[in-house]
Amino acid sequence: MDSIRQIVRALRVSSREADRSVGITGAQLFVLRKLDANAAASLNELAARTLTHQSTVSVVVSRLVEKGLVLRSVSQTDARRVVLRLSARGRAFLGRAPETTQERLVRAIEHLTQRKRAALRDLLSAIVKGSAISRETPELFFEGEVGFDNKQPLPAGRPVRHARVRK
């Protein structure tokens, strides 16, 4: 449990730091970095890069588009495909933004052997299933929670526990 607590705390601190330093959540910053890795990507490609579900990354991308950090356009080769790319403002954000904990975690997992990654996946899946918390598609860390990105203050003296804001 201590390791899980350390990871969750690091993710929370990282998201707050991103919000404080550049005004976006850690999840949004993580998506921006993955989009920056390739100049243009479809929503499905970006979801694969962020290791999350397409519907989750779609919500984050919509917020980034609203903020003028990501641009959407129709592909020149396939009119059915939407291409995503960073705006000049998005690039400027990345130039001054801190590295996210998500990036460090993904890098650490990528350095594990295939066997250890499979074991980690299986053990975490067993924990999620055994604790009956697998009912919803998971969001990117802390995206949409009170106190993150929506500019609502955190409750004084108490940590936020799975509070959701409907937009």
Side-chain angles (χ1 to χ4, degrees):
M1 283 305 293
D2 283 345
S3 294
I4 292 172
R5 282 190 205 83
Q6 286 175 317
I7 291 170
V8 171
R9 181 184 183 285
L11 288 164
R12 182 177 289 118
V13 167
S14 176
S15 195
R16 284 187 182 146
E17 175 58 27
D19 192 31
R20 240 187 322 272
S21 65
V22 292
I24 62 174
T25 66
Q28 292 170 1
L29 182 54
F30 181 64
V31 169
L32 278 179
R33 288 232 206 271
K34 293 300 181 180
L35 187 55
D36 187 44
N38 236 351
S42 70
L43 205 50
N44 286 333
E45 289 168 351
L46 188 56
R49 282 191 224 160
T50 59
L51 308 173
T52 191
H53 194 270
Q54 183 269 347
S55 64
T56 298
V57 82
S58 176
V59 171
V60 174
V61 166
S62 292
R63 289 180 182 146
L64 293 169
V65 168
E66 287 172 15
K67 293 175 188 214
L69 302 174
V70 170
L71 301 171
R72 284 184 183 150
S73 60
V74 176
S75 170
Q76 293 180 348
T77 59
D78 184 350
R80 298 168 297 173
R81 185 175 177 193
V82 174
V83 175
L84 305 168
R85 61 186 163 84
L86 291 182
S87 66
R89 185 170 182 219
R91 267 192 239 332
F93 263 75
L94 289 181
R96 65 181 190 270
E99 181 179 47
T100 65
T101 297
Q102 286 105 313
E103 291 170 282
R104 292 193 311 268
L105 285 170
V106 168
R107 195 168 44 248
I109 291 168
E110 287 172 343
H111 282 94
L112 295 175
T113 65
Q114 181 68 24
R115 185 179 206 153
K116 285 183 178 181
R117 282 196 304 266
L120 178 61
R121 179 199 61 225
D122 293 345
L123 290 169
L124 289 172
S125 293
I127 291 168
V128 168
K129 186 177 180 182
S131 59
I133 58 174
S134 62
R135 305 218 193 290
E136 296 179 20
T137 301
E139 293 180 352
L140 286 164
F141 295 107
F142 305 109
E143 185 65 17
E145 289 193 10
V146 171
F148 290 98
D149 190 51
N150 53 26
K151 306 303 179 206
Q152 291 188 21
L154 292 170
R158 294 181 300 157
V160 174
R161 300 205 192 280
H162 304 291
R164 291 276 185 241
V165 175
R166 301 285 180 218
K167 291 189 178 186

